[in-house]
Amino acid sequence: MMSVRLTWTNNSSGHDGTRIYRDAAPLEPEALPMPIGEVAAGVEEYIDTGMAASTTYYYRAAAYRGGEESVSEEISATTEEEPAEIDEMSPSGSTFAHPDPYNGTIAFSSDGLQLYVFGKNLLRQYELSAPWDITTASQRATVESPYLAYGGCFSSDGLSLLFAETGLSAVKKYNLASAWDVSSITGSDAKEDLPGMGRLRHIELSDDGSKLYALDYNGTNSVVEYDLASPLDFGTATKSSSLPLTGDPRVFAIYDGGTRLVTANKENSVLTEWVMSTPWDLSTATESGASLDVKAVQDDVYGLVFVDSGQRMFVSGYTPAEIAEYTRA
């Protein structure tokens, strides 16, 4: 199911709280339906969950005091198309052969026009002539990565590049002067060891940078969730939850607003889907029952990413050394 995040600025003082109104049709201030929720005075955010996909909703907020309300202007929001279940995906036939047989994870820029392949000692950036079209990839830049940094990711604004240093169980952050351009690295922060991490393989960030997720694949075999006291400040990381995995996990991907997680098992090249009832909260993750065997296309899966509102999936590895696209069947 979809969710909508509402924010506003309180212009009323001395009110008791704010009520949230929603409908599938425009809302008349004089004939509002029952509120879908309310927040305390001073709170300026509300997350509406359980929404249908590809649907437009209309909202008004109303600061209230006693029996009186001050109703806001109306806004609307249209939810995205429902992401495909893992077992609804099939190979599209689009592939991209890369030169690094020891590639690790992969990533895309937010607009889908840049592709990144994390290798054994080198990160390669490729430019795409059309969003998510890996068949049009041409190499744009390279940057030397920390030794054995097979995993990595970017912040949501593309201004921070993170490497997972496998041998040291540490995270190292680089700053970019231009978003998504690895040739514009201006400096780096000190590497930070993650508390309780055995052997780090892959990392991902929540959209707001306040949570880090790390794969411990040679210790507890689990995805570990860390809370960051300040966004992107890995020196403040504290372990908050973990998701035990079986087999030989090598990579995972979180998407759909932090509500879905997919893990890849090297032993059998099977992808397993998990659903988080609370976005970005691993403690609420349960298996959805959906899985996908990708061995016929890509054995030894080391890279996994979902894009285009979950309608496309890309899988990479070194048997063969290529990236393969899957789309909704």
Side-chain angles (χ1 to χ4, degrees):
M1 301 297 284
M2 303 287 106
S3 63
V4 173
R5 179 174 176 263
L6 305 171
T7 62
W8 61 87
T9 300
N10 281 321
N11 294 319
S12 301
S13 59
H15 62 285
D16 299 327
T18 302
R19 297 187 180 109
I20 311 300
Y21 296 92
R22 180 198 71 204
D23 204 344
L27 292 160
E28 296 297 333
E30 299 80 14
L32 293 171
M34 292 292 293
I36 60 171
E38 65 177 71
V39 295
V43 177
E44 298 180 328
E45 177 183 87
Y46 182 84
I47 298 178
D48 190 14
T49 59
M51 326 294 293
S54 304
T55 304
T56 298
Y57 293 93
Y58 298 85
Y59 294 90
R60 288 184 187 267
Y64 69 90
R65 183 176 184 181
E68 297 184 356
E69 287 187 330
S70 176
V71 182
S72 73
E73 294 295 319
E74 182 178 79
I75 64 167
S76 64
T78 301
T79 55
E80 297 177 338
E81 185 177 357
E82 186 76 32
E85 300 285 345
I86 278 291
D87 50 11
E88 297 175 335
M89 308 292 276
S90 61
S92 70
S94 294
T95 61
F96 170 61
H98 53 76
D100 192 342
Y102 299 102
N103 84 293
T105 53
I106 54 177
F108 286 90
S109 59
S110 57
D111 61 6
L113 292 174
Q114 306 296 323
L115 166 67
Y116 308 88
V117 179
F118 291 79
K120 187 175 183 179
N121 297 303
L122 197 69
L123 168 63
R124 291 179 170 88
Q125 177 177 350
Y126 297 88
E127 194 160 41
L128 311 182
S129 60
W132 325 119
D133 187 354
I134 58 176
T135 65
T136 66
S138 60
Q139 188 164 304
R140 173 180 171 181
T142 61
V143 61
E144 186 175 338
S145 59
Y147 181 63
L148 292 181
Y150 288 108
C153 66
F154 289 82
S155 58
S156 59
D157 60 7
L159 291 173
S160 295
L161 166 62
L162 313 179
F163 286 104
E165 297 198 25
T166 302
L168 299 175
S169 299
V171 175
K172 190 171 181 65
K173 178 168 77 77
Y174 290 80
N175 305 309
L176 307 182
S178 299
W180 306 107
D181 181 2
V182 300
S183 67
S184 71
I185 288 178
T186 59
S188 64
D189 295 348
K191 65 182 67 175
E192 299 288 351
D193 290 315
L194 295 178
M197 179 57 56
R199 192 174 183 190
L200 182 60
R201 180 74 201 192
H202 178 58
I203 53 175
E204 291 205 10
L205 282 168
S206 61
D207 289 342
D208 63 3
S210 67
K211 289 180 177 289
L212 174 73
Y213 303 85
L215 177 60
D216 182 352
Y217 83 103
N218 198 20
T220 61
N221 271 6
S222 62
V223 179
V224 182
E225 176 184 328
Y226 292 92
D227 290 331
L228 308 180
S230 299
L232 302 178
D233 184 355
F234 304 108
T236 67
T238 57
K239 182 178 177 180
S240 59
S241 185
S242 65
L243 178 66
L245 303 174
T246 58
D248 187 5
R250 288 303 171 99
V251 71
F252 66 92
I254 300 176
Y255 66 108
D256 192 18
T259 62
R260 298 191 190 213
L261 180 146
V262 173
T263 58
N265 191 336
K266 183 178 182 295
E267 285 185 346
N268 54 17
S269 297
V270 169
L271 309 183
T272 302
E273 182 182 73
W274 306 73
V275 175
M276 287 179 272
S277 57
T278 300
W280 304 109
D281 185 353
L282 272 186
S283 68
T284 68
T286 56
E287 285 195 55
S288 70
S291 62
L292 180 66
D293 188 340
V294 299
K295 192 177 185 68
V297 174
Q298 183 57 267
D299 200 1
D300 293 331
V301 175
Y302 278 79
L304 178 67
V305 64
F306 291 81
V307 299
D308 197 15
S309 301
Q311 302 305 307
R312 303 188 194 197
M313 175 181 76
F314 294 88
V315 179
S316 72
Y318 59 80
T319 312
E322 67 179 23
I323 301 169
E325 180 191 46
Y326 283 68
T327 56
R328 196 171 197 163

